[in-house]
Amino acid sequence: FEQVTGIPVVIDPIDVLEKGIKKGLLEGGYSGLEKWERKRAAEYVESGSSLKKVEPTPNGPKRADWIIDGRQVEFKALTGNTYNSTTALGHLKKATKKEGVEVIDLDIRKPGGTKADARSLYERFKGTDAGKSYNGEVRIATEEGMLIFNPAK
């Protein structure tokens, strides 16, 4: 099952995140986040979601980066200038290795990823061992909107 949604337009992620902290929508701040992570977090805040940054535990199990609206979410992104489906597939597979991940959020907008790229990528992912065993939701942000695969019912 697939769903397509819009992505809020965020001009100044830092401003949105600061407002999110003041409104109680963002817990844990945004220091240490890469530029693309700040933008993605700001888009969630702008849409009204509540976010909690999960701090890594050095000797504990690897966990999702965020808790968004009560669900454990792992952010991933393609940051190169050209779309690379193999790298994108690797990001999805790697995200499944973290304990408790309920949603994988992959941003493929920077290299110009499209809805067709997202659909093809998800089909490839579902054919891998990691994809077959992963029962959570996959969100892929493209230039044309966000595709949500296997959305929570």
Side-chain angles (χ1 to χ4, degrees), residues 1 4 6 8 17-18 21-22 32 38 53 56 59 67 73 76 82 85 95 107 114 135 139 150 153:
F1 180 70
V4 181
L17 294 173
E18 287 289 339
I21 290 170
K22 289 177 185 167
R38 287 191 304 266
K53 186 173 149 193
N59 299 320
I67 296 175
V73 179
K76 296 290 184 189
T82 56
S85 63
D107 190 340
T114 65
N135 294 317
R139 301 174 184 170
N150 197 28
K153 314 240 173 342

Side-chain angles (χ1 to χ4, degrees), residues 21-141:
I21 290 170
K22 289 177 185 167
K23 290 179 180 177
L25 293 175
L26 176 61
E27 185 182 327
Y30 55 85
S31 66
L33 297 180
E34 294 184 39
K35 184 178 179 179
W36 68 266
E37 289 174 301
R38 287 191 304 266
K39 181 177 181 180
R40 207 63 197 108
E43 290 166 347
Y44 275 100
V45 167
E46 188 69 20
S47 70
S49 290
S50 68
L51 286 76
K52 178 181 179 185
K53 186 173 149 193
V54 177
E55 295 300 327
T57 52
N59 299 320
K62 292 187 177 196
R63 299 191 183 277
D65 298 326
W66 296 91
I67 296 175
I68 301 177
D69 297 330
R71 298 175 73 200
Q72 294 186 52
V73 179
E74 177 67 12
F75 281 178
K76 296 290 184 189
L78 294 181
T79 56
N81 292 324
T82 56
Y83 177 75
N84 184 319
S85 63
T86 302
T87 301
L89 181 62
H91 283 328
L92 291 175
K93 290 165 50 176
K94 186 175 179 182
T96 66
K97 293 183 186 338
K98 289 195 173 181
E99 189 176 288
V101 171
E102 297 171 87
V103 178
I104 302 170
D105 182 296
L106 175 64
D107 190 340
I108 63 171
R109 290 176 291 179
K110 185 179 187 300
T114 65
K115 288 193 293 188
D117 292 329
R119 286 184 187 106
S120 173
L121 173 61
Y122 184 72
E123 288 306 314
R124 283 183 63 200
F125 172 65
K126 289 308 287 180
T128 67
D129 288 342
K132 288 174 186 171
S133 64
Y134 179 70
N135 294 317
E137 185 174 289
V138 176
R139 301 174 184 170
I140 303 177

